[in-house]
Amino acid sequence: MAPKLWAEWSMALSHLALGVVSLHAAVRTAQASRGAAAGFLLQALAAATMLAPGLGTDEDCLAGAWVATVIGLPLLAFDFHWVNGDRSSANLLLGGGMVLAVAGDHLGAEGRSVAAQAVMLVVAVTILIVAVFTTNTYGMWGGVMLGAAGLLSRLEEDRLLLLPKEDVCRWVLAAGSWAYHRALHSQRLQWE
């Protein structure tokens, strides 16, 4: 009984952390960058659907996580690239996410998993590259954290650091979201 209770608490806390960080980032970035705010809000809503029992079926929760990944993360990358003057990459990332969102019904479960991993890694690497060239430390940390979350989720292990693997990934994603929020804020201050 105790291990199951711990697993439930661990899952709830990791979803809560991701939801709170993402909602805070959405509110703080809403005035300056609506695209990033929408991406953060999608992450917060996906985390909230997992916390509230009875809001929907498991398929609804998985659909929310899918949308938060293939649309929300490209929205974050879109804004980061746009602010730094890389409009073609911004449009390409967002367009690719939209195409994946529409094509998601035609992919199997494994196809959606691979597509989500690809989106996470492409977003992480492109933001990391822009952050390195603009010397944005928060952007570098955000890219590393998002990439780490993507790579950790592909591990065969069920537990990492005594926690379920999915919970560790959410904690790392929450840290990455916080870093992206700070990166966007510092970029906005730099351009003003």
Side-chain angles (χ1 to χ4, degrees):
M1 181 80 168
K4 184 178 182 196
L5 183 62
W6 168 247
E8 289 176 8
W9 272 101
S10 175
M11 182 188 74
L13 288 174
S14 65
H15 275 46
L16 183 64
L18 180 58
V20 167
V21 167
S22 298
L23 186 59
H24 172 75
V27 169
R28 299 282 296 179
T29 59
Q31 280 298 88
S33 96
R34 294 204 189 339
F40 286 127
L41 186 60
L42 284 172
Q43 284 185 340
L45 290 174
T49 59
M50 296 299 285
L51 284 173
L55 263 185
T57 64
D58 285 342
E59 288 129 12
D60 292 339
C61 294
L62 290 175
W66 168 254
V67 169
T69 301
V70 298
I71 295 177
L73 293 178
L75 276 168
L76 295 176
F78 174 86
D79 223 31
F80 197 75
H81 284 278
W82 195 270
V83 165
N84 288 294
D86 188 5
R87 288 170 172 59
S88 60
S89 294
N91 288 321
L92 186 62
L93 285 166
L94 188 57
M98 295 299 164
V99 167
L100 273 176
V102 171
D105 288 341
H106 301 291
L107 300 172
E110 184 64 26
R112 280 192 297 276
S113 175
V114 169
Q117 295 303 311
V119 167
M120 286 182 81
L121 291 176
V122 166
V123 166
V125 167
T126 60
I127 289 181
L128 183 59
I129 290 169
V130 171
V132 166
F133 283 116
T134 59
T135 63
N136 186 324
T137 308
Y138 289 118
M140 290 180 221
W141 277 110
V144 168
M145 290 295 182
L146 183 58
L151 292 173
L152 287 173
S153 67
R154 296 302 288 179
L155 291 177
E156 297 292 326
E157 301 296 320
D158 290 337
R159 299 182 87 59
L160 300 168
L161 304 171
L162 302 175
L163 295 172
K165 174 180 66 174
E166 293 83 12
D167 296 346
V168 172
C169 290
R170 278 188 290 275
W171 283 106
V172 172
L173 187 57
S177 293
W178 177 83
Y180 279 143
H181 162 252
R182 298 299 308 155
L184 285 167
H185 181 70
S186 66
Q187 284 303 113
R188 294 278 180 200
L189 290 177
Q190 182 181 11
W191 289 105
E192 290 177 355

